[in-house]
Amino acid sequence: MLKLNHKKFFSFFIVLFILVTSSFLFNTNSVKTQSSPITNIERGFDYKIIQYANGTYVWMPMPFAVYNFANNSWCDYIFTETKDYIEARNAYITVRIYDGYAQFLDPNATEVRVYMEQWMVQQYQNNKWKDVIGTYSTLISKTVITNSSGIFITKTWSSWAGNLTVIYILKIGRPLKHTVIFTSTSISGKVRFIQSWSGVQANKMKYKKAIDQTWNETTNLSSATLSQSLYFQFEDNSGKL
């Protein structure tokens, strides 16, 4: 029968534990040092090159970037605020947000694509829809948050019917997203949201109700084209957005 000397076994276990623990701590520190970049070496349209503390250069894919002509470099996004509007730019779009409406331009902010975007809330009464509040109403608050994810602009308007809040969400390398909230203070019943685009600089519109569907197409846009789809895009005759 095998007998173990408990004192020797205990001593061996302590030594082994110390060796394993020391090795683990050493490896952890080594990994931690390598995972701490010294600096960003280069940002491209869809990549970034960084240098680690041990001198290693690493290329990594990144979300699409927007070009900043002011300093000739690629950026995750560009944020500008003037006395008239707030401007947010990323690889997909430039959004200029005024007090009563928003304007959409190309990513380089050189071509207007939609001259005016407005949101309205309508109430169904007497067999027809009627506006009760919109982004043309009285602006009561504005907040802007910029962080490593993107730009988040929140505006709230007020009327006799309640408050309308629109959050413009422009994340890095992602299309513009809206979150729209209506808080009623004096009405009830059936209501709906309307997003109105005026001055669309396009000849045709593609649209679909689900992301996995094929595009439908409407040519020769009229002054009052109505779309009830969830996904859509505008193009000129050459297919340019």
Side-chain angles (χ1 to χ4, degrees):
M1 179 180 295
L2 179 63
K3 293 184 178 181
L4 294 176
N5 185 314
H6 293 287
K7 292 184 178 180
K8 291 182 179 180
F9 177 77
F10 180 77
S11 299
F12 173 77
F13 174 79
I14 292 296
V15 172
L16 179 61
F17 177 78
I18 292 174
L19 289 174
V20 172
T21 304
S22 299
S23 176
F24 175 77
L25 291 175
F26 175 80
N27 289 335
T28 301
N29 291 334
S30 177
V31 172
K32 184 177 181 181
T33 300
Q34 292 181 3
S35 63
S36 301
I38 295 177
T39 185
N40 293 323
I41 302 301
E42 180 181 344
R43 175 66 157 105
F45 174 67
D46 59 356
Y47 70 90
K48 181 168 69 173
I49 299 175
I50 61 176
Q51 183 185 22
Y52 287 99
N54 63 357
T56 303
Y57 290 87
V58 176
W59 181 96
M60 60 177 59
M62 292 289 291
F64 292 161
V66 60
Y67 196 75
N68 189 339
F69 292 94
N71 56 20
N72 296 318
S73 64
W74 292 100
C75 303
D76 291 334
Y77 61 77
I78 301 172
F79 173 78
T80 306
E81 186 168 6
T82 72
K83 64 181 182 64
D84 297 319
Y85 60 81
I86 297 171
E87 183 175 285
R89 292 174 54 196
N90 73 356
Y92 284 86
I93 192 173
T94 297
V95 186
R96 285 180 183 166
I97 303 174
Y98 297 82
D99 285 347
Y101 65 95
Q103 191 175 85
F104 302 151
L105 299 87
D106 70 303
N108 292 331
T110 57
E111 299 178 8
V112 177
R113 301 293 173 81
V114 178
Y115 274 90
M116 181 181 292
E117 180 226 39
Q118 289 184 308
W119 286 89
M120 287 82 74
V121 177
Q122 295 182 335
Q123 181 187 27
Y124 193 72
Q125 50 181 293
N126 299 325
N127 297 320
K128 62 181 180 180
W129 291 99
K130 181 180 179 181
D131 285 8
V132 294
I133 192 173
T135 52
Y136 49 76
S137 300
T138 303
L139 180 68
I140 60 173
S141 68
K142 175 184 69 176
T143 60
V144 178
I145 297 175
T146 59
N147 55 34
S148 59
S149 298
I151 305 171
F152 306 83
I153 302 167
T154 303
K155 286 195 169 187
T156 299
W157 295 264
S158 180
S159 78
W160 62 270
N163 294 331
L164 171 65
T165 297
V166 180
I167 307 173
Y168 302 87
I169 303 170
L170 194 63
K171 292 188 175 182
I172 299 171
R174 302 291 296 174
L176 175 67
K177 179 181 178 181
H178 297 79
T179 296
V180 185
I181 304 168
F182 171 62
T183 304
S184 172
T185 57
S186 61
I187 66 172
S188 60
K190 186 185 297 185
V191 297
R192 69 178 183 180
F193 292 101
I194 296 293
Q195 183 188 34
S196 173
W197 287 14
S198 302
V200 178
Q201 302 301 294
N203 301 103
K204 58 185 178 181
M205 178 179 67
K206 291 183 177 181
Y207 60 92
K208 56 185 177 181
K209 293 188 176 181
I211 194 170
D212 57 346
Q213 291 181 349
T214 57
W215 289 104
N216 297 305
E217 185 173 299
T218 297
T219 57
N220 300 322
L221 291 176
S222 69
S223 60
T225 300
L226 176 65
S227 173
Q228 296 182 347
S229 300
L230 295 177
Y231 303 89
F232 53 91
Q233 66 183 33
F234 296 94
E235 298 179 355
D236 60 17
N237 288 328
S238 66
K240 178 182 177 182
L241 291 175

